[in-house]
Short mmCIF file of all heavy atoms in Angstrom, two decimals:
data_model
loop_
_atom_site.label_atom_id
_atom_site.label_comp_id
_atom_site.label_asym_id
_atom_site.label_seq_id
_atom_site.Cartn_x
_atom_site.Cartn_y
_atom_site.Cartn_z
N SER U 80 2.28 5.17 -8.98
CA SER U 80 2.11 3.89 -9.65
C SER U 80 1.17 3.03 -8.83
O SER U 80 1.16 3.12 -7.61
CB SER U 80 3.48 3.21 -9.77
OG SER U 80 3.33 1.89 -10.22
N PRO U 81 0.39 2.17 -9.47
CA PRO U 81 -0.50 1.28 -8.69
C PRO U 81 0.27 0.20 -7.93
O PRO U 81 -0.24 -0.34 -6.97
CB PRO U 81 -1.41 0.67 -9.75
CG PRO U 81 -0.70 0.82 -11.03
CD PRO U 81 0.17 2.03 -10.90
N LEU U 82 1.50 -0.07 -8.35
CA LEU U 82 2.34 -1.05 -7.67
C LEU U 82 3.68 -0.41 -7.35
O LEU U 82 4.22 0.36 -8.15
CB LEU U 82 2.58 -2.28 -8.56
CG LEU U 82 1.36 -3.08 -8.97
CD1 LEU U 82 1.74 -4.13 -10.00
CD2 LEU U 82 0.68 -3.71 -7.78
N MET U 83 4.23 -0.72 -6.16
CA MET U 83 5.52 -0.15 -5.76
C MET U 83 6.38 -1.19 -5.09
O MET U 83 5.87 -2.09 -4.42
CB MET U 83 5.31 0.96 -4.73
CG MET U 83 4.82 2.23 -5.26
SD MET U 83 4.87 3.42 -3.90
CE MET U 83 3.99 4.72 -4.68
N THR U 84 7.67 -1.00 -5.24
CA THR U 84 8.61 -1.85 -4.51
C THR U 84 8.53 -1.50 -3.02
O THR U 84 8.03 -0.43 -2.64
CB THR U 84 10.05 -1.62 -4.99
OG1 THR U 84 10.41 -0.26 -4.71
CG2 THR U 84 10.21 -1.93 -6.47
N LYS U 85 9.04 -2.39 -2.21
CA LYS U 85 9.07 -2.13 -0.76
C LYS U 85 9.88 -0.87 -0.47
O LYS U 85 9.50 -0.06 0.36
CB LYS U 85 9.65 -3.33 -0.02
CG LYS U 85 8.74 -4.54 -0.05
CD LYS U 85 9.38 -5.72 0.62
CE LYS U 85 10.36 -6.35 -0.31
NZ LYS U 85 10.29 -7.74 -0.56
N PRO U 109 -1.47 -4.88 1.20
CA PRO U 109 -1.78 -5.77 0.07
C PRO U 109 -0.60 -5.82 -0.90
O PRO U 109 0.03 -4.80 -1.17
CB PRO U 109 -3.00 -5.11 -0.58
CG PRO U 109 -2.89 -3.66 -0.21
CD PRO U 109 -2.23 -3.63 1.13
N VAL U 110 -0.30 -7.00 -1.37
CA VAL U 110 0.83 -7.16 -2.28
C VAL U 110 0.41 -7.91 -3.54
O VAL U 110 -0.61 -8.58 -3.58
CB VAL U 110 2.01 -7.91 -1.62
CG1 VAL U 110 2.59 -7.11 -0.48
CG2 VAL U 110 1.61 -9.29 -1.16
N ARG U 111 1.25 -7.78 -4.53
CA ARG U 111 1.07 -8.49 -5.80
C ARG U 111 2.41 -9.14 -6.13
O ARG U 111 3.44 -8.48 -6.10
CB ARG U 111 0.67 -7.48 -6.88
CG ARG U 111 0.66 -7.98 -8.28
CD ARG U 111 -0.61 -8.73 -8.55
NE ARG U 111 -0.52 -9.36 -9.84
CZ ARG U 111 -1.43 -9.26 -10.77
NH1 ARG U 111 -2.52 -8.59 -10.55
NH2 ARG U 111 -1.27 -9.86 -11.91
N HIS U 112 2.40 -10.43 -6.37
CA HIS U 112 3.61 -11.16 -6.72
C HIS U 112 3.73 -11.21 -8.23
O HIS U 112 2.82 -11.66 -8.92
CB HIS U 112 3.57 -12.58 -6.16
CG HIS U 112 3.54 -12.61 -4.66
ND1 HIS U 112 4.67 -12.69 -3.89
CD2 HIS U 112 2.51 -12.56 -3.79
CE1 HIS U 112 4.34 -12.69 -2.62
NE2 HIS U 112 3.03 -12.62 -2.52
N ILE U 113 4.85 -10.75 -8.73
CA ILE U 113 5.15 -10.83 -10.16
C ILE U 113 6.52 -11.49 -10.26
O ILE U 113 7.54 -10.86 -10.00
CB ILE U 113 5.13 -9.45 -10.84
CG1 ILE U 113 3.75 -8.80 -10.68
CG2 ILE U 113 5.53 -9.58 -12.30
CD1 ILE U 113 3.64 -7.41 -11.24
N GLY U 114 6.51 -12.76 -10.60
CA GLY U 114 7.76 -13.52 -10.58
C GLY U 114 8.30 -13.54 -9.17
O GLY U 114 7.59 -13.86 -8.23
N ARG U 115 9.54 -13.14 -9.01
CA ARG U 115 10.15 -13.08 -7.68
C ARG U 115 9.86 -11.77 -6.96
O ARG U 115 10.14 -11.65 -5.77
CB ARG U 115 11.66 -13.25 -7.79
CG ARG U 115 12.07 -14.63 -8.21
CD ARG U 115 13.56 -14.72 -8.21
NE ARG U 115 13.96 -16.10 -8.48
CZ ARG U 115 15.19 -16.52 -8.45
NH1 ARG U 115 16.16 -15.68 -8.19
NH2 ARG U 115 15.47 -17.77 -8.69
N LEU U 116 9.35 -10.81 -7.69
CA LEU U 116 9.07 -9.50 -7.09
C LEU U 116 7.84 -9.54 -6.21
O LEU U 116 6.84 -10.17 -6.55
CB LEU U 116 8.84 -8.44 -8.17
CG LEU U 116 10.04 -8.00 -8.98
CD1 LEU U 116 9.59 -7.04 -10.07
CD2 LEU U 116 11.08 -7.34 -8.09
N VAL U 117 7.91 -8.86 -5.09
CA VAL U 117 6.76 -8.65 -4.22
C VAL U 117 6.53 -7.15 -4.20
O VAL U 117 7.37 -6.40 -3.70
CB VAL U 117 7.02 -9.17 -2.79
CG1 VAL U 117 5.83 -8.87 -1.89
CG2 VAL U 117 7.30 -10.66 -2.82
N LEU U 118 5.42 -6.71 -4.79
CA LEU U 118 5.14 -5.29 -4.92
C LEU U 118 3.94 -4.91 -4.07
O LEU U 118 2.96 -5.65 -4.00
CB LEU U 118 4.87 -4.93 -6.38
CG LEU U 118 6.02 -5.25 -7.35
CD1 LEU U 118 5.54 -5.07 -8.78
CD2 LEU U 118 7.21 -4.37 -7.06
N ILE U 119 4.00 -3.74 -3.45
CA ILE U 119 2.88 -3.22 -2.67
C ILE U 119 1.81 -2.78 -3.65
O ILE U 119 2.07 -2.03 -4.58
CB ILE U 119 3.29 -2.00 -1.81
CG1 ILE U 119 4.57 -2.23 -1.04
CG2 ILE U 119 2.14 -1.56 -0.92
CD1 ILE U 119 4.53 -3.26 0.00
N ASN U 120 0.59 -3.24 -3.44
CA ASN U 120 -0.54 -2.86 -4.29
C ASN U 120 -1.14 -1.57 -3.72
O ASN U 120 -2.06 -1.58 -2.92
CB ASN U 120 -1.58 -3.99 -4.32
CG ASN U 120 -2.65 -3.75 -5.34
OD1 ASN U 120 -2.91 -2.63 -5.73
ND2 ASN U 120 -3.29 -4.82 -5.77
N VAL U 121 -0.56 -0.44 -4.13
CA VAL U 121 -0.96 0.87 -3.62
C VAL U 121 -2.39 1.20 -4.01
O VAL U 121 -3.14 1.81 -3.23
CB VAL U 121 0.02 1.96 -4.10
CG1 VAL U 121 -0.36 3.32 -3.55
CG2 VAL U 121 1.44 1.61 -3.70
#
Side-chain angles (χ1 to χ4, degrees):
S80 171
L82 299 172
M83 284 187 190
T84 63
K85 291 176 281 232
V110 295
R111 170 81 188 231
H112 296 268
I113 300 177
R115 292 183 174 185
L116 289 175
V117 177
L118 301 171
I119 312 294
N120 189 337
V121 181

